[in-house]
Amino acid sequence: MKLAFVFPGQGSQKNGMLHSLPDHPAALEILKEAREVMGEKVLDLDTDKALKSTVSVQLSLLIASVAVSKAFKAEGVRPDFAAGHSAGAFGAAVMCGAMSFTDALEIVKLRGELMEQAFPSGYGMGVITGFDARIVYEITAAISSDENPVYPSNINAADQVTISGSIPGIKKVLDQAGQRGARTAELLNVSVPSHCPLLKSVGDSLYDKLASVHIRVPFIPYAANRTARLLRDPEQIQEDLAYNVSHPVRWYEISSLLCEHGTRLLIEMPPGNVLTTLNKRTLPGARSVSVDENGLDNCLFLAKRFCS
């Protein structure tokens, strides 16, 4: 039986997420390192005002998830796999040893800046549950236009798909999905059209920047967002980190793949429990817990008992 750490992406953020991190020396050391690298007060990133910025959101997600994963490592708990959703992929890359935390901070900051610059307003994401991807693709294809583009994006579960694009286009798709009987169809707390062709230029710029970063062979497999494959090749990891911003995250396939490779415990790093909720619904043969819900000590106890 194997253990996976999963790292949440944008949409999981919440006020005070950095202030509420466990009081563990390894976690505090990550906060200190982030402050030294960035040259600013890290704990100013998680205020309500700051989290209106994509840059602050993605940096906060990275810092929070890496801080807690380092606490697990310091206590002797290491996973067999690392998987991150969207921006969470950078936390997974740090955890599996493919990228340094310092480099991840630089790239994630650039990622957020490029995303904000590309679409400063009028764009975002929505989520539809109760339909499979085929129906969502059908609805978006009928509604998307040059003026108001909208695309299917992340496939989070067999019956949950996100959409990305212009707000008017998204609202039309959500309205149509609701009329056709979707269980839920709502806007997400995301201010950019992630994981669709609109962000290809952002992916290109990230790929060029990542070429100057040392991506190493990971000591455990890294689960790719774009291909839902377990990677060990640094060039393939570089490509995934760059272009997951402009391609759908195939989370349902990723989590299923982890289980196919023997994973029976998935621990979600902070913040939140979005991935845990998804995995509980779609992976009945595995146990999924989040540090935010269960606490670091309880998750450490569970992981050590599970891995013994």
Side-chain angles (χ1 to χ4, degrees):
M1 296 192 296
K2 296 181 179 180
L3 167 67
F5 283 179
V6 295
F7 295 74
Q10 196 163 349
S12 296
Q13 70 271 13
K14 59 183 180 180
N15 292 355
M17 56 196 279
L18 297 176
H19 287 76
S20 60
L21 289 173
D23 187 20
H24 188 282
L28 297 177
E29 186 62 30
I30 287 296
L31 289 175
K32 178 183 176 183
E33 184 177 349
R35 182 173 64 250
E36 292 172 350
V37 170
M38 297 169 59
E40 59 183 278
K41 295 180 179 179
V42 172
L43 293 180
D44 288 345
L45 291 171
D46 67 354
T47 65
D48 183 49
K49 181 178 179 180
L51 291 177
K52 297 185 185 304
S53 162
T54 297
V55 178
S56 294
V57 168
Q58 295 190 19
L59 284 170
S60 295
L61 291 170
L62 173 69
I63 295 165
S65 60
V66 170
V68 173
S69 71
K70 293 293 187 181
F72 276 94
K73 182 179 179 181
E75 296 295 329
V77 175
R78 296 195 181 194
D80 299 285
F81 307 106
H85 190 291
S86 186
F90 289 88
V94 173
M95 177 66 239
C96 71
M99 172 182 275
S100 72
F101 179 55
T102 297
D103 285 338
L105 283 170
E106 180 182 5
I107 299 298
V108 167
K109 183 178 181 181
L110 175 63
R111 186 181 192 265
E113 290 171 347
L114 291 171
M115 292 170 73
E116 285 185 339
Q117 292 164 11
F119 294 94
S121 64
Y123 289 79
M125 299 181 70
V127 63
I128 298 169
T129 60
F131 289 156
D132 62 26
R134 178 185 58 81
I135 296 175
V136 177
Y137 274 69
E138 176 185 309
I139 296 172
T140 54
I143 289 175
S144 183
S145 66
D146 291 341
E147 182 181 1
N148 287 304
V150 60
Y151 301 88
S153 47
N154 304 332
I155 303 173
N156 292 325
D159 63 348
Q160 185 187 102
V161 180
T162 64
I163 56 175
S164 301
S166 74
I167 296 299
I170 289 172
K171 288 182 175 179
K172 289 180 181 179
V173 171
L174 296 178
D175 287 344
Q176 182 65 26
Q179 292 174 22
R180 292 182 59 167
R183 189 163 63 248
T184 60
E186 57 193 16
L187 283 170
L188 289 173
N189 184 26
V190 178
S191 58
V192 290
S194 302
H195 308 296
C196 76
L198 293 173
L199 292 185
K200 183 182 183 302
S201 63
V202 174
D204 290 338
S205 296
L206 288 174
Y207 186 81
D208 291 342
K209 181 62 178 178
L210 280 162
S212 66
V213 171
H214 182 40
I215 307 294
R216 297 176 289 271
V217 176
F219 60 81
I220 59 172
Y222 161 94
N225 277 214
R226 294 167 56 247
T227 61
R229 295 291 181 267
L230 297 176
L231 304 182
R232 287 187 179 273
D233 180 84
E235 291 186 6
Q236 292 178 343
I237 294 173
Q238 174 189 340
E239 185 174 10
D240 189 68
L241 289 171
Y243 287 110
N244 76 17
V245 73
S246 57
H247 289 76
V249 176
R250 297 163 62 178
W251 186 256
Y252 179 54
E253 293 175 71
I254 291 168
S255 53
S256 298
L257 178 72
L258 293 175
C259 285
E260 289 172 7
H261 281 78
T263 300
R264 291 297 177 266
L265 176 62
L266 299 96
I267 300 180
E268 182 175 3
M269 300 298 107
N273 65 342
V274 170
L275 301 180
T276 298
T277 300
L278 283 171
N279 292 338
K280 283 180 178 179
R281 286 203 301 117
T282 60
L283 304 174
R287 183 170 183 180
S288 296
V289 298
S290 74
V291 174
D292 265 5
E293 278 188 324
N294 296 272
L296 176 61
D297 289 343
N298 286 336
C299 288
L300 280 168
F301 175 79
L302 179 63
K304 289 179 178 180
R305 187 179 66 176
F306 179 87
C307 297
S308 63

